[in-house]
Amino acid sequence: MRRTCVKDILNAEKPVPELVVKGWVRTKRDSKGFSFLEVNDGSCLKNVQIIIDHTPEVESELEKISTGASVSVVGELVESPGKGQKWEVRGKSVEMLGYADPETFPMQKKRHSDEFLRTIAHLRPRTNKFSAMFRIRSELSYAIHSFFRDKGFFYVHTPIITGSDCEGAGEMFRVTSLDYAGLAGKKEEQLADDFFGKAAHLTVSGQLPAEMYALSLGQVYTFGPTFRAEKSNTPRHAAEFWMVEPEVAFADLDDNMDLGEEMVKYLIKHVLERCADDIELFAKFVDKSLMDTLNNTLNNNFERISYTDAVELLRGCKKADKFEFRPEYGEDLQTEHERYLTEEHFGKPVIVYNYPREIKPFYMRVNDDGKTVTAMDLLVPRIGELVGGSQREERLDVLESRIAETGMDAAEYWWYLDSRRFGSAPHSGFGMGFERMLMLLTGATNIRDVIPFPRTPKNLEF
């Protein structure tokens, strides 16, 4: 007989004379003549209660079972006389599938700190909080594909190993088939013996390849892992994370901002509808203001303000002297500035656009003033930057001058420049940090708690 998921058991419409439950024991209580097992199989937040009489056939098996063990129970689904639950299972037989030593099993029926649970990231999905987190993560992934598919986008798989640096910052992980001795001291032109015959890296973005497909298929998106060798040991940064990156032909900056706002609202609405129980857990135990933040984001038009006006606003606000970093024109906005704009001044998400060209990558379109580029950052409360994008520079001569201006080698981007030589067109796109979206949805304050196995400086466990 096939097992029935706990989620389906709890949603049953009528009693079932016989079924099989398989899962992990969250708690076990022994009373005179019978035992209570709370079993969860990961299909939902709630456990199913199983009551098993101490018959000679099951007593020896029950003695071996404790918190953390995996079990298989054959029983009958009946209405529960207890409060707060509609059904319970009257067990007829029980088999322990996997033993968990009660002396060494690290999770007991108490609240463990996030810091402790990061040290046992392989087991933390057994907790309510992290099982809920990763069900939400799964549903959010599905929602992203649904959003773009419904809008006629095509999903493109862009390379993970690359020879180009999209951001031009150089903070990339090297990929090589050579050992340390074979790599030491070699310059790029001396790498003929390496696998690709040149320097190769893990991608920091799928944007440049995605642009090529947008200029062929019209509107595309890529959704995959990206890597940054940036030693930022903060709650908002990881060396390996996931990015959602749409690129749209014949779209300008306004179209880009519209798409970003529409996507964020769609994802919130989808997850609230599909993961209500899991979101409720975070609203109750992690962030008491979570639902207010999410509903406020859903029900308001995002404020739009130029970078120049944002800096002037920040420099003139009452809190200006209290910022750790003084707002200065020509400098990136800091997280404290972004949070002030979203949480205190406007009280809702904000899109800042038209940044100084000097602080943005080469591919962003230069505005007519010659000083700014058509960049946009979508900022949300508590997180700060969630989405960053721009209208791309479609003019060949301007793009070539921008590459030279930033000190990059145009020869490495011959294929990218070809798209401007042969049928160039205005186009726009952005990147959304998938994990930051999860932080917004759950109230989590550390990116390490929204990734199954986080990769951060000096941390390569699991």
Side-chain angles (χ1 to χ4, degrees):
M1 193 164 38
R2 297 181 64 180
R3 77 179 179 99
T4 303
C5 290
V6 170
K7 181 178 181 179
D8 294 330
I9 290 173
L10 298 179
N11 290 327
E13 296 182 355
K14 59 182 180 181
V16 180
E18 189 171 66
L19 49 71
V20 176
V21 185
K22 295 183 181 182
W24 294 270
V25 175
R26 289 290 179 86
T27 62
K28 176 192 174 188
R29 290 187 295 115
D30 293 318
S31 293
K32 188 174 182 180
F34 55 90
S35 293
F36 291 97
L37 301 181
E38 292 281 339
V39 173
N40 187 285
D41 65 358
S43 61
C44 65
L45 182 63
K46 297 176 181 177
N47 307 323
V48 62
Q49 178 173 276
I50 301 173
I51 303 173
I52 305 176
D53 291 329
H54 290 173
T55 63
E57 293 79 15
V58 302
E59 276 194 300
S60 60
E61 198 73 1
L62 280 171
E63 288 177 0
K64 298 182 290 184
I65 294 171
S66 59
T67 298
S70 64
V71 297
S72 175
V73 177
V74 178
E76 177 186 7
L77 183 66
V78 299
E79 290 188 18
S80 175
K83 292 183 179 180
Q85 57 190 24
K86 182 178 179 181
W87 304 105
E88 64 185 26
V89 173
R90 290 281 178 175
K92 301 174 183 176
S93 66
V94 60
E95 177 186 2
M96 185 185 70
L97 302 177
Y99 177 67
D101 184 350
E103 298 298 321
T104 58
F105 183 61
M107 293 185 297
Q108 299 300 324
K109 192 178 181 181
K110 65 176 183 177
R111 294 189 68 176
H112 297 288
S113 71
D114 291 338
E115 290 77 14
F116 168 73
L117 291 172
R118 287 175 207 144
T119 69
I120 53 168
H122 57 306
L123 294 174
R124 65 179 178 172
R126 301 270 192 96
T127 66
N128 284 341
K129 178 178 179 179
F130 285 97
S131 65
M133 175 66 76
F134 295 115
R135 280 190 295 270
I136 293 171
R137 185 178 175 112
S138 174
E139 191 61 37
L140 181 61
S141 299
Y142 175 81
I144 286 164
H145 291 297
S146 296
F147 173 77
F148 287 113
R149 186 179 185 276
D150 291 348
K151 293 184 73 66
F153 279 66
F154 300 104
Y155 180 32
V156 175
H157 298 110
T158 53
I160 291 176
I161 300 175
T162 180
S164 59
D165 181 0
C166 175
E167 298 299 322
E171 294 166 334
M172 305 176 74
F173 288 102
R174 170 68 64 84
V175 175
T176 181
S177 61
L178 301 176
D179 59 22
Y180 287 116
L183 189 62
K186 286 195 174 183
K187 297 180 180 179
E188 184 167 345
E189 61 269 18
Q190 298 173 312
L191 290 174
D193 294 335
D194 208 346
F195 188 90
F196 295 103
K198 59 183 292 189
H201 302 87
L202 295 178
T203 185
V204 298
S205 169
Q207 176 200 317
L208 303 189
E211 280 187 58
M212 303 303 97
Y213 276 77
L215 292 171
S216 300
L217 301 180
Q219 48 186 20
V220 303
Y221 73 103
T222 182
F223 177 25
T226 53
F227 308 86
R228 302 280 169 93
E230 181 182 3
K231 293 184 179 179
S232 296
N233 209 349
T234 77
R236 299 169 65 245
H237 293 87
E240 177 184 320
F241 56 99
W242 284 63
M243 287 274 282
V244 181
E245 298 179 288
E247 292 289 332
V248 185
F250 314 111
D252 61 16
L253 183 63
D254 287 329
D255 297 323
N256 207 31
M257 291 190 285
D258 290 343
L259 181 65
E261 180 172 344
E262 182 184 0
M263 181 191 70
V264 169
K265 289 181 175 180
Y266 176 95
L267 297 179
I268 293 173
K269 185 173 185 292
H270 180 101
V271 170
L272 287 179
E273 290 175 351
R274 303 294 182 91
C275 302
D277 288 347
D278 290 328
I279 290 291
E280 184 182 357
L281 179 145
F282 288 96
K284 186 175 181 180
F285 296 108
V286 176
D287 181 358
K288 303 288 187 183
S289 63
L290 179 61
M291 294 309 300
D292 288 339
T293 299
L294 296 180
N295 287 323
N296 182 52
T297 302
L298 276 178
N299 298 326
N300 283 291
N301 293 326
F302 295 1
E303 188 70 29
R304 299 185 184 186
I305 183 173
S306 72
Y307 167 88
T308 301
D309 289 344
V311 170
E312 289 183 6
L313 187 159
L314 289 164
R315 287 173 64 87
C317 73
K318 294 180 180 179
K319 198 174 180 179
D321 293 334
K322 297 181 180 179
F323 288 132
E324 181 180 355
F325 299 94
R326 179 173 171 77
E328 298 285 356
Y329 187 89
E331 300 287 340
D332 264 324
L333 299 182
Q334 300 295 319
T335 301
E336 60 180 340
H337 305 147
E338 296 169 343
R339 293 190 62 176
Y340 175 81
L341 292 173
T342 57
E343 296 172 23
E344 298 184 47
H345 186 81
F346 292 111
K348 61 180 180 178
V350 177
I351 302 178
V352 180
Y353 61 91
N354 288 350
Y355 282 75
R357 63 187 286 169
E358 293 81 9
I359 62 173
K360 289 297 182 181
F362 70 94
Y363 51 76
M364 296 186 174
R365 192 182 199 279
V366 178
N367 283 315
D368 293 341
D369 61 14
K371 299 178 181 179
T372 61
V373 292
T374 55
M376 70 93 172
D377 287 340
L378 193 163
L379 316 177
V380 294
R382 198 169 43 77
I383 307 299
E385 182 188 342
L386 176 64
V387 171
S390 71
Q391 185 174 335
R392 313 312 189 187
E393 182 56 76
E394 85 279 9
R395 298 163 294 185
L396 177 62
D397 58 337
V398 179
L399 184 58
E400 288 177 325
S401 68
R402 286 284 285 147
I403 290 176
E405 181 183 309
T406 53
M408 301 171 72
D409 184 1
E412 290 291 319
Y413 297 88
W414 65 269
W415 56 275
Y416 187 73
L417 293 169
D418 264 3
S419 67
R420 274 63 168 177
R421 293 188 180 100
F422 310 125
S424 184
H427 59 289
S428 296
F430 61 74
M432 182 192 77
F434 181 64
E435 281 76 20
R436 289 192 183 180
M437 186 70 204
L438 276 165
M439 292 170 72
L440 174 67
L441 283 166
T442 62
T445 58
N446 197 311
I447 196 170
R448 294 164 178 80
D449 298 327
V450 300
I451 303 176
F453 300 105
R455 298 290 180 246
T456 53
K458 308 299 182 183
N459 180 33
L460 193 60
E461 295 297 322
F462 315 108

